[in-house]
Amino acid sequence: MIAAVTEHLPALVVITPLTFSFILPPLGRRLGLARGLVIFSAILSLLGAAGLAFLVFTNPGASISYQMGGWAPPWGIELEVDSLAAFFLLLVALVNLPVVLAGRKNLTAEIGSEGRVIRFYALYLLLIGALSGMALTKDLFNVFVLVEVATISCCALVSAREHPQAARASFSYLILATLGSSFVLAGIGFIYISTGHLNMAFAGDALVLAGQSSPRVLWLAFSFMLVGFGVKAALFPLHIWLPDAHSTAPAPASAVLSGLAVKGYIICLMKILFTVFGPALMARFTVPRILLAAGVVAILAGSVSALLQDELKRRLAYSTVAQIGYIFLGLGLMNEQGLAGGIFYLAGHALSKALLFLAAGAMLAATGKQKISDLAGLGKKMPVTMAAFTIGSLSLIGIPLFAGFVGKWQLLLGSLESGSILASAGIILGSVLCAAYLLPVVRIAYFENAGPAQVQNPGLAEKLSLVLLAVSTLVLGIFPGPFLELALRAARDLLGCC
Amino acid sequence: MVNLVLTLLSGVAGALVIFLLPRTKKRLYPPVVLIFTLASLVFCWLLARQVWQGQTVRLDASLAGLPFSLAPDPLGMIFGLIVASLWLFATVYSFGYMDKKPRLGTYYAFFLLSLSVTLSVAFSGNLLALYLFYELLTLVTYPLVIQTREEATKPAGRKYILYSLSGAALILLAIVLTYSRGGQMDFSTGPLLAGAAPAGLGWVLGLFILGFGVKAALMPLHRWLPEAMVAPTPVSALLHAVAVVYSGVFGILRTVYSIFGIELMQELRLARLLPWLAVFTIITGVIIATRQDVLKKRLAYHTISQLSYILLGAFTLQPWGLAGSLLHMISYSTLKITLFFCAGIISEQTGETDISRMEGIGWQLPRTMLAFGVASLGMIGMLPLNTFWSKYYLMQGGIKSGGWIFALALIISGIINAVCFIPTVVAAFKGNKTPSVEKGRKVYLMLGPTLLLATAAVLLGLFPGLVWPGIEKVLLQIFAKVV
């Protein structure tokens, strides 16, 4: 039994959330039971992901390959648990558990009836399944399917609240995301035409030859991919859907959308860029420079836009646009340190941003107000929530001993190794701007005198979820050892396979 | 090791106790704060004894996959001792000044935390620890700056954070550059970049100076300091005349002597420009100071000028100059805190903050204005005050480094200093005699530390040998010789 579970673990971590997602809707209005199942599935995912990560971590150089239905590649679909996949799987599971813990009270208040909450959870699990799949899959068409699944569930999550704004945000997201998906599909099509393969490794090998005969087709394929995934990952200036979508979604959904969903697309893009195209071809198409410039522009533009927002959740959403820039910048550096920095920053941001969104959600639920200036005095009234928010802020700013710092440090090392002054300046300036837009929130909450109004403190489950995320942010910042090692290995794998 | 940990933890533990005390027990704050500040001071002295004896005290930790270490060396120890000793005076003064003011819990908690963090800056053993605590210092002192929550604290606080964090960001960049160049981060093994090719290092030096220069209020990075004077007087006195600004100065001392080293500095063109920047700040700062009418603002600009005395000494790269720097760090801090304390007593007892309205105030506050007068003489650099010696060494250092003009600048600055403060003291005793208002527990708590510090300044002027052994240790370590 145990042997069978271990053997099929790569498939199981994807299938588990999907299965639970299909069990939920028939439950009707039994929210308690549904929540139990969701939390159970989150724990299972965490165990599975931790197991896989442990296996990968203890066997450096080896990766676990799983063939769906026993069909060997290049015909069958291959799931591969390499360092990058293990890293992202674990991250998904680490964010997933606190987010599902947080739900209940606030979620019911935000969404409406209990039946709707159950449907919300069904879609949520669908998204988690798709993200886990994105981490593992080695098949290009499978990537497209998972991207579509994720997109649809994201749309539904954004529109979960019964609010005209939510419907509008969800609609514009739907339009743009579908456009992005079709771009991705077109890109996959071009790769398939040029190589005849859908398996990434095989396509990559064939592409080396194809690159010499028909570089224009590949250039086109690459452009489609970058724009398609750029829209989905909210790379500036393709981010226009994100602020509305992430700020109108219910808090747990915002946490996952900002923390994980956009990252899933980046992981896919990373795999396609480095495994299929390969560093040599990328350099020929000046891809690194494009990524680097896009990253720096995103950091600066996103941060400045965040500074201009009055509403807390919108500010956090724009901050995501800026932080995505760091990850793209890491991709563009094309060296081990920089790429590992980008990958690690992805994790640091996922945890910190999920923490910030959950804390913001708790604050909004308590006060019923959106503006940052309305948060005065919350530091005393909601100590746990504000402490969590502060930890998340410090991490994003990049204060040592928080997760964000480790990523930024690696990125800085990488940017110096590649000799890119622009990148270093972008990283540093982004930190300062981040302090400028996050610290005022902390200041107002702690140091401004509050009105007499009483607030409703979050429940125990909410507090527990905040504490879990805050502790992970700190642990990742103080003892990043294994995580950083996985990121470094993933970077070596990605850069080495040309 | 035990002493090191206890020195640093005293402040944190005290802050924790204050934080946990119920809000109704406000009268317990002063004894708690006093006990923990004293504890920190005692352990700091014990630690200093160990360090003077040549023992290596180290605490290493690998955090975030990177080395962080605390390892007080003679240079850090001098800074640490200044901080821990003066903190005690400012604490007692606070008991008087802050009496019956709101938000005492926050005030004392962050006051104690700042003590720990400042000491950690002093004892940092490598670049990363220095950066970490330098950054933290901004965050833990911010609540003290905006303590009164008046409308003016908002822009002042914003400027404070923005200037400091921007500076820290530049330092981080410089640290990564240093690390990628030399692969070294630990201060104990001599200058980090010793032996590196000087090409391109000018930029790194520039980044460090810009970054630390913010807190050291090197012009034109000084704008935050006069505005930070919205803080309560003990905070202005201790943090914005000594602890916080000294951490910037200390960072520059580290940059020059522990990161670059004398040989490398002599080869960099930028390093030759730096003394001129210091001279510019010395003269401009004190001239702007004479034009301020608000006493605290005048003192702030005066701080800016005086900090550059210390920097000038460090930039001469001479044993004489460095000795002057260290002496000035000690002497100037005692006198400047005295001046600020006097300003606080004046504003608390009479409500006056503008110098033009202080005529005849000496009759109301005779002992305060006496202390003020003593400290003013010190700022000119007269015997028997301790600043005479530091100025003497600084001038020697300036001349030895080949610039008689540096010595001249110090003399000119001394004369402007006289213009800056002496008229205030004279005017204070004009007019008709009025009854003294120096009575009551509150005033005694404020006046006690003020008079003690003024006395200490005179004693150190008469017996400058008291602090010399410590300075000798630093000179021996850096130059392998004494002047």
Side-chain angles (χ1 to χ4, degrees):
Chain A
M1 171 71 185
I2 290 174
V5 169
T6 322
E7 190 193 337
H8 294 288
L9 202 52
L12 284 176
V13 289
V14 183
I15 292 170
T16 310
L18 293 181
T19 315
F20 277 94
S21 146
F22 298 132
I23 297 177
L24 287 183
L27 286 178
R29 303 177 137 268
R30 271 168 288 179
L31 183 55
L33 179 63
R35 258 181 68 79
L37 285 176
V38 173
I39 293 172
F40 180 61
S41 93
I43 292 171
L44 282 185
S45 301
L46 185 58
L47 288 178
L52 282 176
F54 179 75
L55 284 179
V56 170
F57 185 69
T58 45
N59 297 309
S63 64
I64 306 164
S65 175
Y66 182 84
Q67 293 152 11
M68 292 297 273
W71 291 86
W75 301 281
I77 292 172
E78 186 193 12
L79 300 183
E80 190 185 9
V81 194
D82 52 10
S83 305
L84 183 66
F87 181 88
F88 190 62
L89 263 184
L90 190 58
L91 180 67
V92 170
L94 273 179
V95 177
N96 180 18
L97 184 62
V99 169
V100 296
L101 275 178
R104 186 131 201 180
K105 205 170 59 185
N106 293 346
L107 198 55
T108 323
E110 271 189 289
I111 297 181
S113 73
E114 293 178 340
R116 287 174 65 96
V117 175
I118 291 181
R119 268 169 282 160
F120 173 86
Y121 273 128
L123 288 157
Y124 171 85
L125 286 181
L126 210 57
L127 175 63
I128 296 295
L131 288 172
S132 312
M134 286 182 194
L136 295 175
T137 188
K138 280 273 148 186
D139 186 276
L140 283 170
F141 193 74
N142 205 352
V143 165
F144 170 70
V145 173
L146 291 168
V147 162
E148 279 296 65
V149 172
T151 305
I152 303 289
S153 44
C154 282
C155 269
L157 291 182
V158 170
S159 64
R161 275 173 51 192
E162 273 182 329
H163 196 279
Q165 232 179 1
R168 209 173 50 218
S170 169
F171 185 71
S172 70
Y173 177 48
L174 187 67
I175 299 290
L176 283 164
T178 316
L179 207 65
S181 302
S182 29
F183 274 52
V184 170
L185 186 61
I188 291 172
F190 279 117
I191 293 176
Y192 185 62
I193 293 170
S194 321
T195 64
H197 283 292
L198 282 174
N199 184 291
M200 290 184 191
F202 285 86
D205 289 340
L207 215 58
V208 179
L209 298 174
Q212 284 150 6
S213 57
S214 54
R216 288 191 183 194
V217 177
L218 292 185
W219 177 233
L220 211 59
F222 161 73
S223 314
F224 273 122
M225 286 290 187
L226 186 65
V227 174
F229 280 114
V231 170
K232 291 182 165 288
L235 178 63
F236 186 88
L238 308 169
H239 69 287
I240 42 172
W241 58 270
L242 183 138
D244 282 331
H246 287 195
S247 61
T248 50
S254 317
V256 167
L257 290 178
S258 250
L260 291 180
V262 285
K263 312 290 161 49
Y265 304 122
I266 298 182
I267 294 282
C268 289
L269 179 65
M270 222 184 267
K271 283 204 277 195
I272 290 176
L273 280 182
F274 287 91
T275 321
V276 179
F277 288 93
L281 211 55
M282 282 169 75
R284 208 173 116 200
F285 289 160
T286 63
V287 180
R289 267 196 230 162
I290 296 174
L291 290 174
L292 202 75
V296 172
V297 171
I299 292 174
L300 298 182
S303 303
V304 172
S305 321
L307 258 178
L308 301 175
Q309 305 303 316
D310 285 338
E311 283 174 27
L312 182 56
K313 278 182 87 175
R314 284 189 78 82
R315 185 171 286 198
L316 292 180
Y318 272 107
S319 153
T320 299
V321 175
Q323 310 295 326
I324 291 294
Y326 279 100
I327 302 168
F328 273 91
L329 189 150
L331 297 192
L333 287 174
M334 296 301 280
N335 55 38
E336 187 190 328
Q337 300 279 10
L339 190 53
I343 296 172
F344 194 90
Y345 199 77
L346 185 147
H349 176 246
L351 290 168
S352 317
K353 196 41 89 47
L355 178 61
L356 287 172
F357 263 118
L358 283 185
M363 286 189 254
L364 298 187
T367 60
K369 294 188 177 142
Q370 315 244 321
K371 288 261 169 68
I372 291 168
S373 49
D374 292 331
L375 301 175
L378 277 191
K380 283 214 184 74
K381 291 177 188 163
M382 307 178 73
V384 178
T385 313
M386 265 323 291
F389 191 91
T390 311
I391 289 177
S393 307
L394 293 179
S395 167
L396 275 197
I397 294 167
I399 307 278
L401 306 192
F402 294 94
F405 172 75
V406 184
K408 277 190 180 153
W409 175 261
Q410 291 290 336
L411 280 172
L412 270 177
L413 285 179
S415 74
L416 289 175
E417 198 183 316
S418 75
S420 165
I421 299 289
L422 180 75
S424 317
I427 295 168
I428 294 291
L429 205 56
S431 287
V432 176
L433 285 169
C434 185
Y437 63 73
L438 282 178
L439 285 183
V441 183
V442 177
R443 176 184 66 85
I444 288 170
Y446 277 113
F447 300 124
E448 272 191 12
N449 287 331
Q454 277 296 313
V455 299
Q456 203 183 4
N457 245 316
L460 193 63
E462 265 99 2
K463 279 185 190 161
L464 182 66
S465 70
L466 289 175
V467 171
L468 270 180
L469 277 172
V471 169
S472 340
T473 306
L474 276 170
V475 168
L476 213 58
I478 300 175
F479 308 107
F483 247 82
L484 189 59
E485 177 60 32
L486 274 180
L488 281 165
R489 271 191 222 162
R492 274 196 291 269
D493 287 350
L494 288 176
L495 289 170
C497 59
C498 34
Chain B
M1 225 242 340
V2 180
N3 291 330
L4 175 62
V5 174
L6 287 176
T7 311
L8 297 181
L9 279 188
S10 300
V12 179
L16 211 61
V17 173
I18 295 281
F19 185 70
L20 293 176
L21 272 180
R23 290 280 169 262
T24 48
K25 306 262 185 197
K26 283 208 167 61
R27 65 199 158 73
L28 284 182
Y29 287 159
V32 170
V33 178
L34 191 62
I35 287 168
F36 283 100
T37 315
L38 260 178
S40 195
L41 179 59
V42 170
F43 290 121
C44 194
W45 277 106
L46 293 176
L47 181 64
R49 271 231 326 246
Q50 280 180 300
V51 173
W52 294 159
Q53 282 165 7
Q55 295 180 30
T56 358
V57 187
R58 280 192 76 92
L59 193 66
D60 285 289
S62 174
L63 303 169
L66 298 164
F68 284 84
S69 67
L70 290 166
D73 62 350
L75 181 61
M77 210 58 237
I78 288 186
F79 179 33
L81 277 179
I82 296 174
V83 168
S85 317
L86 293 175
W87 219 277
L88 187 64
F89 290 95
T91 302
V92 175
Y93 183 87
S94 292
F95 298 153
Y97 186 90
M98 296 302 290
D99 195 29
K100 309 241 164 45
K101 290 207 167 65
R103 289 179 288 272
L104 276 184
T106 322
Y107 176 79
Y108 285 125
F110 280 100
F111 206 64
L112 281 167
L113 270 184
S114 305
L115 169 61
S116 281
V117 177
T118 316
L119 287 174
S120 309
V121 170
F123 299 157
S124 307
N126 69 5
L127 274 176
L128 281 172
L130 182 64
Y131 167 71
L132 169 66
F133 293 117
Y134 187 79
E135 182 114 88
L136 274 185
L137 186 60
T138 309
L139 300 181
V140 295
T141 51
Y142 173 76
L144 296 172
V145 174
I146 59 161
Q147 171 70 17
T148 61
R149 308 287 197 276
E150 282 161 8
E151 207 41 50
T153 59
K154 272 190 189 170
R158 199 177 308 137
K159 211 168 239 183
Y160 183 62
I161 285 272
L162 214 61
Y163 269 69
S164 299
L165 290 190
S166 309
L170 295 180
I171 293 170
L172 180 62
L173 187 56
I175 287 176
V176 180
L177 281 166
T178 310
Y179 178 58
S180 67
R181 194 65 179 266
Q184 289 280 336
M185 287 216 249
D186 207 287
F187 297 139
S188 63
T189 47
L192 300 176
L193 288 168
L201 283 180
W203 289 97
V204 184
L205 178 64
L207 284 174
F208 271 120
I209 299 287
L210 276 178
F212 286 121
V214 169
K215 280 214 173 109
L218 197 60
M219 280 186 175
L221 309 167
H222 66 285
R223 297 293 288 270
W224 62 273
L225 184 61
E227 292 207 20
M229 292 297 130
V230 294
T233 301
V235 173
S236 306
L238 185 60
L239 297 177
H240 300 126
V242 181
V244 167
V245 287
Y246 270 18
S247 69
V249 170
F250 180 71
I252 291 182
L253 287 178
R254 277 272 185 246
T255 307
V256 173
Y257 292 101
S258 301
I259 299 176
F260 282 81
I262 299 151
E263 282 120 45
L264 193 55
M265 286 294 285
Q266 277 163 346
E267 287 180 45
L268 292 174
R269 199 178 301 144
L270 179 64
R272 287 197 284 277
L273 280 177
L274 290 174
W276 295 102
L277 195 60
V279 166
F280 171 76
T281 309
I282 289 174
I283 302 289
T284 320
V286 76
I287 289 176
I288 299 177
T290 56
R291 300 166 59 93
Q292 303 295 319
D293 192 36
V294 178
L295 181 53
K296 274 180 87 177
K297 288 241 159 131
R298 180 173 289 193
L299 290 175
Y301 277 104
H302 182 252
T303 304
I304 294 168
S305 158
Q306 293 286 321
L307 290 174
S308 279
Y309 276 52
I310 305 173
L311 296 182
L312 178 62
F315 291 147
T316 59
L317 305 175
Q318 297 289 325
W320 284 89
L322 183 60
S325 283
L326 297 171
L327 274 172
H328 204 63
M329 267 179 101
I330 301 168
S331 347
Y332 153 77
S333 58
T334 54
L335 291 172
K336 194 51 173 284
I337 290 196
T338 308
L339 285 176
F340 265 111
F341 281 1
C342 294
I345 298 176
I346 295 171
S347 71
E348 281 295 290
Q349 293 309 108
T350 68
E352 296 299 349
T353 51
D354 298 352
I355 295 167
S356 52
R357 297 166 56 93
M358 286 184 188
E359 263 186 33
I361 217 161
W363 304 115
Q364 289 174 292
L365 302 162
R367 281 164 289 183
T368 310
M369 288 317 288
L370 177 71
F372 195 93
V374 170
S376 304
L377 290 182
M379 287 310 167
I380 304 165
M382 279 193 192
L383 266 180
L385 279 134
N386 48 7
T387 34
F388 169 80
W389 299 105
S390 50
K391 265 197 162 176
Y392 172 70
Y393 276 89
L394 283 172
M395 285 188 194
Q396 285 278 12
I399 292 166
K400 288 252 155 57
S401 74
W404 54 269
I405 206 152
F406 298 143
L408 185 66
L410 291 181
I411 292 172
I412 294 174
S413 158
I415 295 168
I416 309 176
N417 262 300
V419 178
C420 195
F421 290 116
I422 299 299
T424 317
V425 182
V426 174
F429 289 97
K430 267 191 191 160
N432 297 326
K433 223 169 170 176
T434 41
S436 161
V437 290
E438 275 178 328
K439 285 195 195 74
R441 184 172 158 275
K442 182 179 159 103
V443 180
Y444 292 140
L445 277 174
M446 292 194 280
L447 200 55
T450 316
L451 293 176
L452 270 177
L453 276 175
T455 319
V458 176
L459 281 179
L460 283 176
L462 294 175
F463 308 104
L466 288 175
V467 293
W468 187 252
I471 291 166
E472 204 174 48
K473 288 272 190 299
V474 180
L475 294 182
L476 278 175
Q477 196 195 18
I478 290 173
F479 294 94
K481 64 170 184 189
V482 190
V483 293

